[in-house]
Amino acid sequence: MKIDMHCHVKEGSIDSRVSVDEYITLLKRKGFQGMVITDHNTYNGYRYWKNNIKGKRHTDFVVLKGIEYDTRDAGHMLVIMPEGVKMRLLELRGMRASVLIDLVHRNGGVIGPAHPYGEKYQSFANTKRFYKSPELIKRFDFVEAYNCCENAEANAKALRLAKKYNKVTVGGSDSHKTNCVGRAYTVLPEPVTCETELISMIHKKTAFETGGTYYDKTTKERMGKVNKILVYSFWVYNKAGELIRRRGRNVKMGQENPVDPIDPIELYYTE
């Protein structure tokens, strides 16, 4: 089963120009059978799919719910929670990576760094957290080893990191524009119909095939050195967002991530 595990749609991402419907249409033309919607700090893109398209169009295509979470200290993280698990906390940016990992695992989900060797502040291996606590990688479930919006060197480093720590590798286009959709893929050895089935494969360390073709029209490629301004602007934006959402996050933390939580239900049985 060929899927794109890093997708941004305009119903959930203000910087995406591709609607859910158009995204699926383009992926189907390129031989994909599924996608994971991973908008930044929101499930709005997936909600649009669920409320307006699911069961009406593209019934031969699997759309899974994910999120790209902006941590306070370790860049962007891809998160997939089990089918039916709804957590408002994951839509409130700014948790520390260690807290986020606990939250995800306590509730049966999986987590891994997006484009780990990408832009400063946005990518795990280019943050202070990585240099202070590199062994944090051991707590991740997978690594995005192929992102078509990064360069070959960045992806090669991500793959080496995954192999060093025996992590499942995934690939995603990170698309925000139509001409980038479908340029990266993850091939699963068998079909999945929901998030829980994909999580089960990752827990079992199932080997996925990843790859694609590079997209050379990214903003950073076009802007060159001036792109550094955007990088530092993102740092300011992320810090401001974390502060603005801190109170709401603390309230939800008490509700959804208590100090002494109930053990999560088993996702599947093993022999």
Side-chain angles (χ1 to χ4, degrees):
M1 182 179 185
K2 187 178 183 181
I3 67 173
D4 186 341
M5 290 188 61
H6 191 163
C7 306
H8 297 279
V9 297
K10 71 179 184 180
E11 291 86 354
S13 295
I14 60 174
D15 57 349
S16 176
R17 301 178 185 176
V18 194
S19 69
V20 176
D21 186 83
E22 185 178 17
Y23 211 120
I24 295 171
T25 299
L26 291 170
L27 284 180
K28 288 167 70 173
R29 288 176 184 170
K30 296 186 177 185
F32 285 74
Q33 292 85 43
M35 66 185 288
V36 184
I37 297 178
T38 54
D39 291 313
H40 285 276
N41 313 298
T42 181
Y43 288 119
N44 284 342
Y46 181 83
R47 289 188 184 105
Y48 182 87
W49 150 261
K50 183 177 179 181
N51 297 330
N52 297 279
I53 301 177
K54 186 177 182 180
K56 301 174 184 177
R57 300 191 301 280
H58 304 299
T59 54
D60 59 341
F61 192 88
V62 176
V63 176
L64 303 180
K65 182 178 71 173
I67 205 163
E68 185 172 6
Y69 187 88
D70 296 5
T71 67
R72 185 190 311 181
D73 60 342
H76 298 172
M77 300 292 159
L78 296 175
V79 175
I80 303 171
M81 301 303 290
E83 184 181 20
V85 174
K86 300 176 181 179
M87 304 201 73
R88 174 60 176 157
L89 256 176
L90 294 176
E91 297 186 87
L92 299 172
R93 68 166 63 225
M95 275 186 276
R96 294 186 184 280
S98 57
V99 175
L100 177 64
I101 293 169
D102 284 340
L103 173 70
V104 171
H105 286 163
R106 283 179 174 184
N107 291 278
V110 290
I111 180 173
H115 43 70
Y117 284 90
E119 292 284 12
K120 188 176 182 180
Y121 305 128
Q122 302 176 32
S123 307
F124 176 63
N126 284 325
T127 63
K128 289 182 179 179
R129 176 54 55 205
F130 175 74
Y131 290 105
K132 291 180 178 179
S133 309
E135 296 302 295
L136 187 66
I137 189 68
K138 292 181 178 180
R139 301 187 61 201
F140 294 128
D141 304 288
F142 61 87
V143 171
E144 185 179 56
Y146 191 93
N147 181 306
C148 74
C149 293
E150 299 300 332
N151 58 42
E153 182 182 1
N155 282 330
K157 288 180 178 179
L159 181 59
R160 288 197 294 270
L161 184 70
K163 287 182 176 180
K164 179 179 179 180
Y165 291 97
N166 190 30
K167 300 299 176 182
V168 172
T169 57
V170 304
S173 65
D174 201 358
S175 297
H176 293 73
K177 299 178 182 179
T178 55
N179 55 356
C180 183
V181 172
R183 284 180 173 266
Y185 60 80
T186 303
V187 177
L188 310 179
E190 58 187 71
V192 298
T193 61
C194 66
E195 295 82 10
T196 305
E197 292 174 358
L198 178 57
I199 289 170
S200 175
M201 282 189 180
I202 293 172
H203 280 168
K204 294 172 183 176
K205 294 190 176 296
T206 305
F208 299 156
E209 177 188 343
T210 64
T213 57
Y214 288 104
Y215 179 61
D216 59 2
K217 296 180 181 179
T218 61
T219 300
K220 62 183 175 183
E221 290 289 340
R222 288 186 285 107
M223 295 187 67
K225 293 182 179 180
V226 180
N227 185 60
K228 290 184 178 181
I229 297 174
L230 289 181
V231 173
Y232 288 108
S233 295
F234 170 79
W235 181 84
V236 174
Y237 172 76
N238 205 35
K239 288 295 182 182
E242 185 274 318
L243 290 171
I244 291 170
R245 290 164 177 76
R246 181 173 294 181
R247 183 177 182 280
R249 198 171 57 247
N250 289 341
V251 171
K252 283 295 179 183
M253 187 71 73
Q255 298 171 350
E256 297 182 343
N257 192 38
V259 175
D260 186 21
I262 299 173
D263 289 336
I265 61 172
E266 294 185 24
L267 300 179
Y268 43 80
Y269 295 96
T270 57
E271 296 293 337

